[in-house]
Amino acid sequence: MLSELIAGAVADASARRAVRSQADVERAALDRAPALDALAALAPADRVKIIAEVKRASPSRGALADIPDPAALAARYETGGASAISVLTEGRRFGGSLEDLEAVRARVSLPVLRKDFIVLPYQVFEARAAGADLVLLMASALEQADLVELYALVTELGMTALVEAHDAEEVARAVDLGASVIGINARNLSTFELDPGIFPRLVDRLPSGTIRVAESAVKTAADVARYREAGADVVLVGEALVTGDPVATLTEFLAG
């Protein structure tokens, strides 16, 4: 599944590059106002923080929500107390787009994460050109040399990388990179199986000062509370928000 998703992301990026050259995208990225300070927004606090996700579908669950106006949903997330907004821009299996990200960026004052299968420098420049403040970099999708290259580019453009891992070897690679924000994903993106115990098993491998993000396997406030008790500074939530009342759900999740 992961290989298929990466191949699709590369094909789609190549199609966009045929229309809009890398030089044009680089200029647009450099012309954007500076990225927002995501490290400050996600810094550890006396309560858990939430990255709230605009997510229409997933390969494991299919269609989740129509979301005709992603900016309006993001505004509700901001009202509900989210610390950042994640926007899925992958179109084939998740139903997202860069236009979604641009619309969200124009509407909210929170940092915005581009969540996609980022494997090319072109995609990083696209993210900044569209207004992203954070970019997801998945260790499972990248060889270490490529991860290092893309992490450096994200940083050079003034954005923050959320480096995602889902096993001990990938956590070690993220730590070696010096990543300030590391996500531990309970979902294995090769099989899409969930293991909620992955975060508690691996979190102690993250150095002091790292912003620790728990991802996936969040359905209830109790799930958020368990991640918090295990050491999460931030929890990324998508499906539970788009399939219910986002403000009420966020309020409940943050209360724990």
Side-chain angles (χ1 to χ4, degrees), residues 1 11 16 59-60 85 114-115 120 123 152 161 171 180 187 189 198 213 233 241 250:
M1 178 64 74
R16 292 192 300 272
S60 60
I85 308 296
R114 181 184 186 185
K115 194 175 183 191
L120 302 171
Q123 294 169 290
V171 167
S180 298
R187 189 178 297 282
L189 290 177
I198 286 178
V213 183
D233 302 306
L241 297 178
L250 268 173

Side-chain angles (χ1 to χ4, degrees), residues 3-89:
S3 297
E4 175 191 324
L5 290 165
I6 293 169
V10 169
D12 291 343
S14 298
R16 292 192 300 272
R17 186 165 48 197
V19 175
R20 189 183 190 190
S21 72
Q22 178 146 334
D24 285 345
V25 172
E26 288 183 19
R27 281 193 293 270
L30 296 174
D31 285 344
R32 290 287 313 202
L36 299 181
D37 187 348
L39 294 180
L42 300 177
D46 58 1
R47 65 167 179 84
V48 72
K49 295 185 175 181
I50 289 180
I51 300 174
E53 190 157 84
V54 177
K55 182 177 185 178
R56 291 191 177 90
S58 76
S60 60
R61 293 293 305 276
L64 298 171
D66 289 337
I67 314 180
D69 189 344
L73 176 60
R76 296 190 72 192
Y77 286 159
E78 185 168 22
T79 298
S83 293
I85 308 296
S86 170
V87 181
L88 272 153
T89 60

Side-chain angles (χ1 to χ4, degrees), residues 77-102:
Y77 286 159
E78 185 168 22
T79 298
S83 293
I85 308 296
S86 170
V87 181
L88 272 153
T89 60
E90 196 277 345
R92 296 183 181 216
R93 303 298 292 270
F94 291 88
S97 68
L98 282 164
E99 288 74 22
D100 288 346
L101 193 151
E102 290 171 339

Side-chain angles (χ1 to χ4, degrees), residues 102-191:
E102 290 171 339
V104 169
R105 170 69 288 149
R107 184 71 171 270
V108 302
S109 61
L110 302 175
V112 177
L113 164 71
R114 181 184 186 185
K115 194 175 183 191
D116 207 324
F117 299 89
I118 305 292
V119 293
L120 302 171
Y122 183 84
Q123 294 169 290
V124 176
F125 285 112
E126 278 186 319
R128 182 81 281 268
D133 309 289
L134 299 109
V135 174
L136 180 71
L137 297 179
M138 299 165 50
S140 59
L142 295 161
E143 298 295 334
Q144 191 68 3
D146 297 320
L147 180 58
V148 169
E149 177 189 2
L150 293 179
Y151 183 86
L153 180 57
V154 169
T155 303
E156 179 184 338
L157 291 173
M159 297 183 290
T160 299
L162 168 53
V163 181
E164 179 182 288
H166 80 281
D167 61 28
E169 184 266 341
E170 291 175 5
V171 167
R173 291 172 56 203
V175 171
D176 288 345
L177 193 66
S180 298
V181 186
I182 298 178
I184 297 176
N185 195 343
R187 189 178 297 282
N188 181 323
L189 290 177
S190 294
T191 64

Side-chain angles (χ1 to χ4, degrees), residues 231-243:
D233 302 306
V234 181
V235 179
L236 192 151
V237 186
E239 182 177 329
L241 297 178
V242 300
T243 56

Side-chain angles (χ1 to χ4, degrees), residues 191-212:
T191 64
F192 270 77
E193 294 177 353
L194 280 173
D195 179 359
I198 286 178
F199 184 89
R201 290 199 300 271
L202 297 180
V203 66
D204 287 343
R205 297 172 182 263
L206 304 185
S208 175
T210 304
I211 296 174
R212 300 163 295 185

